[in-house]
Amino acid sequence: MKLHDILIVGAGLAGMRAAIAAPPDLDVAVISKVHPVRSHSVAAQGGINAALGANDSWEAHAFDTTKGGLYLGDQDAIEAMCREAPDDILELERLGVIFSRNEQGHIAQRPFGGAGFPRTCYAADRTGHAILHAMYEQLLKRRIAVYEEWYVTSLIMEGGACQGVVAWDLIHGGVHAIGAKAVILATGGSGRVFLTSTNAVINTGDGMALAYRASAQLADMEFVQFHPTTLKGTSILITEGARGEGGYLLNTRGERFMKTYAPQQMELATRSTVSLAIGQEILEGRGVDGCVLLDLRHLGRQRILERLPQIRELAIEFAGLDPIETPIPVRPGAHYQMGGVRTNQWTETGIAGLYAAGECACVSVHGANRLGGNSLLETIVFGRRAGIRAAEYARALVPQPLTTDQLAIEQRRVQRLLTQEGPIRAWQLREELGQLMSLNLGLVRTHESMSAALSALAALNLRAAAVTVQDKGQVFNSELVQAFELQCLLDVAETIVTSALAREESRGAHYRSDFPVRDDQHWLKHSLIQRAPEGPALTYEPVTITRFPPK
């Protein structure tokens, strides 16, 4: 059995930043089900927030983040993120990230929704791509070991601590145990719980499900952000940067309808506000074939080519139109999980040796609604913090001999999946789950819709136990991986529905038409959900409030 000081599950921005932050004298490894530069962080477009401007401040950034999250974010964690953001951005620049520049040669910043200042640093509309590739260069420079194309099926829990993982080798086949003094989960989001999502097909909530099965707490799982602008028919993300550059949202009458919903901020209101407004326009018959229009024509050819080249390419390639000449049809789509593995601001989960950072974690800095540009920032700030804290833990720990109990359990699980016969396939259940969640837990939720979803989930879980993997091979058995991912999706979906059904208010991304008002008296608290023999167990804890009382 291989043994490392630190093992990081996931090779996106949070995972690679954690690896780089760990001291070079420790044995650090990264394990990922895809090549590191194929991680979903590469798809982030619009930018990363930091108070770099002369008139801006980290306090203003913290206030905007707190207010944008409807006061559900923990303000000590928000303050830490916003205070450390400027230094982290400058560090990225030193590591080789090629940011766009303003006329003075400084890092360019654009306005984003819910922000009081233009504080979103960007690299055209390929910011995630630029940062991820710079991080991968640093991974290679430091000769950090990468288990590339390995799928982690479970955590090794012994003596109440996490001491490694069990993983399936996609390239060669076979289940293996990998020991580690500390494990950092950095597996990204769970957007593929929904049928229409901006997320890559790999975003199946793996880290959340791994932690949940190991009895870690998940927090605020009911808060799933729907991005206002995804491309019609594809759910491809159309960056908020398009509106940050001055794009208009139009209905079928040619009206900038956001003046009705957010007259001051217009198209740069928070994402939950804009998504609900678009949904309302479509519902009331003012949409355009189930969408609204994002109009960039007035920005001019040069600005679109310079600031939004990828958006233009996507529109031409997938919608057959050029945004220089024609508005883009857009509609909301599932985008980001504000909830995740509950951690403190140093990424500790409450389980010894287990840490979590990035979208799979809930620190919580986003509260009920994430501001654009804060997701990349979270990966960098808390990825770095995870690497530092896990290193401190690993350095002080004497390695313990591990049993092979968990490896044997996973080997039996794989054997059952490969020998089971029957008509049920993982991809079919995955599609049914996506339709179920999109229909019942989309922009607008009710007690009836969520109760129906919970009942249907129970039936899906029963059928999932009988899934057949037709490919019996060992090498690149993607169907077997789909079966693993399906169980993760079902586990995460159950936590989302259970938490949402219990929260009887509307706040940010959680909008209930039967409880349409925000209720600070009863619901200014975090939902915590933990696996129990009788099913998901819900508890609550207060929000940390420091300098910004709820308004």
Side-chain angles (χ1 to χ4, degrees):
M1 181 191 298
K2 291 185 179 178
L3 178 67
H4 302 279
D5 291 317
I6 301 173
L7 182 63
I8 300 161
V9 185
L13 284 179
M16 285 204 273
R17 188 65 188 90
I20 292 163
D25 60 311
L26 292 183
D27 181 352
V28 179
V30 176
I31 186 167
S32 173
K33 66 179 178 181
V34 295
H35 186 280
V37 298
R38 289 188 62 225
S39 303
H40 188 58
S41 301
V42 81
Q45 297 170 343
I48 179 169
N49 291 340
L52 300 180
N55 299 318
D56 202 358
S57 67
W58 74 260
E59 292 92 344
H61 184 187
F63 172 71
D64 289 342
T65 300
T66 303
K67 181 184 176 185
L70 284 299
Y71 296 93
L72 197 73
D74 286 323
Q75 293 178 27
D76 56 346
I78 291 171
E79 289 172 20
M81 180 180 76
C82 298
R83 188 188 299 113
E84 294 172 12
D87 285 345
D88 272 322
I89 296 300
L90 297 178
E91 176 66 12
L92 290 178
E93 185 183 33
R94 284 191 288 271
L95 292 175
V97 176
I98 305 171
F99 287 108
S100 295
R101 301 280 164 174
N102 60 22
E103 291 77 9
Q104 292 75 41
H106 301 140
I107 294 174
Q109 294 181 281
R110 57 169 51 126
F112 254 41
F117 294 87
R119 68 169 65 93
T120 305
C121 312
Y122 60 93
D125 55 357
R126 295 186 174 93
T127 312
H129 184 278
I131 301 174
L132 193 78
H133 280 258
M135 290 291 104
Y136 186 56
E137 289 171 0
Q138 296 300 316
L139 211 67
L140 295 176
K141 178 182 177 181
R142 287 163 171 78
R143 300 183 185 278
I144 292 168
V146 179
Y147 293 86
E148 183 185 310
E149 296 184 310
W150 286 63
Y151 185 90
V152 175
T153 63
S154 74
L155 302 176
I156 297 173
M157 300 296 299
E158 294 191 8
C162 183
Q163 298 192 36
V165 306
V166 176
W168 173 264
D169 181 351
L170 274 77
I171 297 175
H172 305 101
V175 187
H176 303 269
I178 305 169
K181 294 179 182 177
V183 173
I184 301 172
L185 297 175
T187 56
S190 55
R192 283 292 155 181
V193 164
F194 293 85
L195 189 65
T196 53
S197 171
T198 64
N199 284 199
V201 293
I202 59 174
N203 283 26
T204 50
D206 303 339
M208 299 174 201
L210 289 171
Y212 183 59
R213 292 172 200 157
S215 297
Q217 290 182 324
L218 306 187
D220 298 338
M221 292 300 291
E222 62 267 44
F223 294 102
V224 180
Q225 183 171 82
F226 282 71
H227 197 286
T229 55
T230 74
L231 189 62
K232 175 188 175 182
T234 65
S235 296
I236 293 171
L237 177 66
I238 301 297
T239 175
E240 190 167 328
R243 286 173 284 132
E245 293 296 337
Y248 299 153
L249 288 173
L250 307 177
N251 60 21
T252 190
R253 299 171 182 170
E255 300 166 336
R256 287 181 68 188
F257 57 84
M258 285 308 300
K259 67 178 182 289
T260 304
Y261 303 92
Q264 274 78 44
Q265 294 172 304
M266 295 290 285
E267 285 86 2
L268 291 180
T270 58
R271 288 179 175 177
S272 59
T273 301
V274 180
S275 291
L276 283 168
I278 292 173
Q280 193 67 22
E281 290 294 301
I282 295 169
L283 183 67
E284 294 179 3
R286 294 186 294 277
V288 181
D289 193 21
C291 298
V292 296
L293 299 176
L294 175 61
D295 192 357
L296 307 178
R297 292 173 296 178
H298 56 285
L299 300 181
R301 179 184 184 87
Q302 192 55 43
R303 189 165 183 177
I304 291 172
L305 291 177
E306 179 186 326
R307 305 281 184 88
L308 302 167
Q310 182 178 215
I311 295 309
R312 180 171 183 253
E313 288 173 19
L314 291 170
I316 291 170
E317 183 74 23
F318 293 98
L321 58 88
D322 188 339
I324 293 172
E325 301 167 353
T326 310
I328 306 170
V330 294
R331 61 175 301 145
H335 180 60
Y336 190 88
Q337 174 57 267
M338 268 78 73
V341 184
R342 184 57 166 151
T343 74
N344 63 16
Q345 59 177 294
W346 280 99
T347 74
E348 295 161 319
T349 63
I351 293 176
L354 183 64
Y355 304 81
E359 191 177 348
C360 77
C362 180
V363 183
S364 132
V365 288
H366 305 307
N369 178 48
R370 176 176 68 78
L371 295 188
N374 273 351
S375 58
L376 289 186
L377 180 61
E378 180 192 20
T379 65
I380 298 303
V381 171
F382 293 103
R384 172 178 51 76
R385 282 178 160 232
I388 292 169
R389 186 52 58 95
E392 292 170 356
Y393 175 85
R395 204 185 287 283
L397 193 72
V398 177
Q400 302 294 322
L402 299 179
T403 69
T404 56
D405 294 353
Q406 193 61 43
L407 177 62
I409 290 169
E410 292 304 304
Q411 285 172 334
R412 288 195 295 271
R413 179 185 174 199
V414 169
Q415 186 64 21
R416 177 181 60 80
L417 285 168
L418 290 176
T419 57
Q420 202 158 254
E421 297 293 340
I424 301 174
R425 305 285 296 282
W427 66 265
Q428 293 170 322
L429 296 191
R430 181 164 166 166
E431 189 161 313
E432 284 183 44
L433 173 64
Q435 290 171 336
L436 172 74
M437 294 295 285
S438 292
L439 179 65
N440 294 300
L441 278 100
L443 283 175
V444 180
R445 302 166 175 183
T446 65
H447 183 275
E448 290 73 22
S449 71
M450 292 185 288
S451 297
L454 205 55
S455 299
L457 271 175
L460 278 176
N461 265 305
L462 286 174
R463 290 168 61 203
V467 157
T468 297
V469 176
Q470 289 189 327
D471 182 352
K472 309 301 181 185
Q474 296 279 308
V475 177
F476 274 111
N477 190 334
S478 58
E479 194 178 5
L480 177 61
V481 173
Q482 280 189 0
F484 293 145
E485 290 175 332
L486 172 65
Q487 195 55 60
C488 292
L489 288 166
L490 288 167
D491 287 347
V492 170
E494 186 176 45
T495 67
I496 293 171
V497 180
T498 303
S499 302
L501 189 55
R503 183 174 286 272
E504 296 182 336
E505 67 157 355
S506 289
R507 186 185 298 266
H510 175 67
Y511 181 77
R512 289 187 60 160
S513 58
D514 48 354
F515 292 96
V517 179
R518 182 178 124 197
D519 182 359
D520 283 350
Q521 184 180 348
H522 299 104
W523 288 103
L524 188 64
K525 55 189 179 183
H526 296 295
S527 308
L528 301 179
I529 193 164
Q530 197 166 19
R531 197 174 203 182
E534 62 278 6
L538 264 178
T539 54
Y540 296 91
E541 71 177 14
V543 174
T544 301
I545 296 170
T546 58
R547 61 178 70 208
F548 306 120
K551 295 180 181 178

